[in-house]
Amino acid sequence: MWLVMNKALRAIQKYALGRLQQAGLGESDFLVLEVLLHKGPLPVNTIGPKVNLTPGSISVAVDRLFSKGLVSRVESAEDRRIRIVALTPTGKELIVPIFRKHAADIRRVFAGVPPNQLRQLEKGLRTVGRHAAELRLNEEQKKNEPVQRAGT
């Protein structure tokens, strides 16, 4: 199962990322622009977990997008320590057609899968993903529990 899943994911990524690179975007830049397109302005510290980037990587990506004029950064009105990142009109103009092409590419990848199987696959992957996250959280909690010594 693991090998089949990994092989499929790598093939999809190779295809999709190649198409994004043709459009002039790297993966992390695309992920940030895409989440801002669909979720709207967000605090920089909430973008990273949504797109699976570390705090350092998200900062570098936002700095790069900011320097290109694709995103803006403003201090939160409620907490000046928080920076809100938003698409600029130039950023939106760039990401909208790229995302449309990307969505069409993904539809092409799954074109051979009947719609009912595709819905089942999506539901199954969500279930597996949530369960794996719960297992990891449980293991992390166990690591942080104090060790009890015999006789105490």
Side-chain angles (χ1 to χ4, degrees), residues 36-150:
L36 292 173
L37 176 66
H38 291 101
K39 301 290 185 184
L42 293 169
V44 70
N45 62 333
T46 64
I47 298 171
K50 288 184 182 303
V51 298
N52 202 27
L53 290 174
T54 64
S57 295
I58 194 63
S59 292
V60 169
V62 168
D63 287 347
R64 184 173 46 249
L65 294 168
F66 179 79
S67 71
K68 293 178 180 180
L70 302 175
V71 300
S72 62
R73 292 181 296 204
V74 295
E75 289 179 353
S76 166
E78 295 85 35
D79 186 341
R80 291 182 27 210
R81 296 171 296 174
I82 297 174
R83 297 273 184 153
I84 306 295
V85 180
L87 284 176
T88 62
T90 303
K92 188 170 184 175
E93 189 177 303
L94 175 75
I95 192 60
V96 167
I98 290 173
F99 179 77
R100 283 186 185 138
K101 288 177 186 171
H102 173 73
D105 289 341
I106 298 304
R107 282 192 300 275
R108 250 189 310 284
V109 166
F110 288 97
V113 181
N116 63 329
Q117 287 182 11
L118 198 52
R119 284 189 296 276
Q120 287 177 330
L121 175 63
E122 185 177 359
K123 185 178 178 183
L125 288 172
R126 282 192 175 141
T127 301
V128 169
R130 285 185 194 117
H131 184 65
E134 287 174 19
L135 290 172
R136 183 166 187 257
L137 181 62
N138 289 340
E139 286 183 7
E140 291 295 319
Q141 288 172 342
K142 285 180 185 176
K143 283 183 191 176
N144 295 329
E145 289 177 0
V147 177
Q148 289 191 349
R149 298 178 188 189

